[in-house]
Amino acid sequence: MTGLGGLNPSPSSLTLGLVQQRVPLVETMADVDAATDRVVAALRAAKDGFSALDLVVFPEYSLHGLRKSGWARDELMCDLDGPQVERLRLACRDAGVWGCFSVMERNPNGAPFNSGIVVDSAGEIALYVRKLHPWTPKEPWEPGDIGVPVCRGPKGSVLSLLICHDGMFPEVAREASYRGANVLLRTAGYKFPLKQSWRITNEANAFQNLAYTASVCLAGHDGNGIPSMGEAMVCDFEGTIVERGDSTPDRVVTATIEPARADAARREWGVENNIYQLGHRGYTALAGGATDCPYTYMSDLVSGRYRVPWEDEVQIVDGTSEGYGPPREAGSSVDTARGGLEAR
């Protein structure tokens, strides 16, 4: 139940606004500032028009767009203590609403980070995450290095943020849920060819972890021929889509969810309580279940030996096919990948 898309929230429900923001076309810092202004205006308008909103979620790249020519320029990157983030924080405080935002974050020790923040209704950053899995070979960003944090949000929610490609890895959603998240936010810039993968991973991440998922992409054209898809989506903890948007740029898709219901399922379900049962295999037969790790890929990853059987046959292992330079070597802080764009 979503209370007619959030029109009839209960006192315990979390009302979401997912903004299918039009793709910003960014070439200069003035363009970044203008995109920031549009995000601030959209957040204020959404809250003014829909006072029940608790959390407004904007897509990945909502300040920086999708053009590689803009990605290549250090002067267009932002800082967490910079003026763009300050304006986003003040907007949440002034509107009295939580917000989720995307920031391409300056990094003096390599490529920029593709970062996300959740700001509370007092204007404080409650959650800060760096994208773990940049969309290689398409994206030149530094891989995230701060794990999968979670934070307490409004109306009994515990929030995490999966940035675009992160949501394609079941391990990322599982880690967020293992740490207590009952609402998995996902922001993206995905284009229409990813529509099917977007849907099934949002559904699977919800069901496999008994969590709500709330996801949104940019919408519209970026000048490169294939538009971003919008496609806001909310799934309940059974993996059922309860609200779904379309491709309309700047549409705000709303929904009301009950985080406490996901919490109850995690405590009360027997059949398909998979996040619990992963570490308690076969508890019907064995008291407490088996608690060993039978998964080779997990132990190999931890020990630094991760290697797929077809490792030597993988053909694309850097971004040069996308016009980037070679990746930086371990121990170097020189951003050689984006250097390839700058040299073009």
Side-chain angles (χ1 to χ4, degrees):
M1 301 295 291
T2 67
L4 295 179
L7 289 172
N8 297 295
S10 70
S12 61
S13 61
L14 175 69
T15 302
L16 302 164
L18 308 176
V19 184
Q20 298 178 168
Q21 183 187 341
R22 184 181 298 274
V23 181
L25 304 180
V26 174
E27 295 287 353
T28 67
M29 198 65 211
D31 295 331
V32 175
D33 286 329
T36 305
D37 289 340
R38 287 193 291 273
V39 168
V40 167
L43 180 136
R44 289 173 172 162
K47 182 62 175 176
D48 285 345
F50 206 149
S51 61
L53 285 179
D54 297 303
L55 171 61
V56 184
V57 182
F58 290 86
E60 182 190 34
Y61 293 116
S62 54
L63 302 188
H64 287 87
L66 298 171
R67 291 182 170 180
K68 290 181 180 178
S69 56
W71 293 357
R73 299 174 59 187
D74 279 333
E75 65 268 26
L76 302 191
M77 301 298 106
C78 293
D79 300 298
L80 284 187
D81 59 355
Q84 294 78 26
V85 172
E86 178 69 12
R87 285 151 64 192
L88 299 175
R89 293 176 58 190
L90 290 175
C92 289
R93 186 196 69 184
D94 294 346
V97 69
W98 287 60
C100 177
F101 308 105
S102 169
V103 178
M104 300 303 116
E105 182 190 359
R106 195 183 325 276
N107 174 22
N109 298 312
F113 290 104
N114 182 336
S115 300
I117 56 174
V118 173
V119 177
D120 68 20
S121 58
E124 299 298 324
I125 295 177
L127 181 70
Y128 162 56
V129 62
R130 291 170 170 172
K131 188 175 186 177
L132 282 177
H133 296 275
W135 195 37
T136 53
K138 299 287 187 180
E139 292 180 337
W141 314 123
E142 195 77 13
D145 59 357
I146 56 175
V148 187
V150 303
C151 74
R152 293 202 171 274
K155 303 297 182 65
S157 62
V158 180
L159 306 173
S160 68
L161 173 56
L162 285 60
I163 301 177
C164 196
H165 192 46
D166 284 346
M168 297 296 187
F169 295 84
E171 293 83 2
V172 180
R174 175 56 52 84
E175 173 69 6
S177 302
Y178 183 74
R179 299 188 67 177
N182 54 22
V183 179
L184 310 180
L185 305 176
R186 187 181 184 191
T187 59
Y190 274 145
K191 299 173 181 291
F192 278 100
L194 275 296
K195 187 172 181 177
Q196 170 70 359
S197 303
W198 174 254
R199 179 185 67 80
I200 61 174
T201 51
N202 291 335
E203 292 173 325
N205 287 337
F207 172 65
Q208 290 170 355
N209 297 292
L210 297 182
Y212 289 93
T213 59
S215 313
V216 65
C217 295
L218 288 173
H221 289 273
D222 63 359
N224 293 322
I226 302 177
S228 294
M229 63 185 183
E231 198 69 17
M233 183 180 301
V234 177
C235 299
D236 68 16
F237 53 88
E238 294 187 10
T240 302
I241 298 173
V242 295
E243 288 290 347
R244 187 172 188 172
D246 53 15
S247 60
T248 304
D250 296 325
R251 178 183 172 188
V252 182
V253 177
T254 58
T256 291
I257 61 175
E258 298 279 350
R261 293 186 61 207
D263 293 340
R266 289 172 170 181
R267 288 164 173 77
E268 298 168 6
W269 278 22
V271 173
E272 301 297 341
N273 192 347
N274 298 315
I275 186 169
Y276 172 79
Q277 292 171 6
L278 178 67
H280 303 82
R281 294 182 296 115
Y283 65 66
T284 300
L286 175 66
T291 58
D292 62 314
C293 178
Y295 304 108
T296 306
Y297 86 93
M298 289 185 182
S299 56
D300 284 355
L301 188 61
V302 168
S303 64
R305 298 195 308 267
Y306 187 91
R307 183 179 176 84
V308 294
W310 55 94
E311 187 94 9
D312 293 335
E313 301 169 28
V314 175
Q315 298 180 20
I316 299 176
V317 295
D318 60 30
T320 55
S321 64
E322 295 293 324
Y324 297 112
R328 68 176 178 84
E329 296 295 330
S332 170
S333 61
V334 179
D335 181 6
T336 50
R338 287 192 311 145
L341 291 180
E342 295 164 355
R344 291 169 66 182

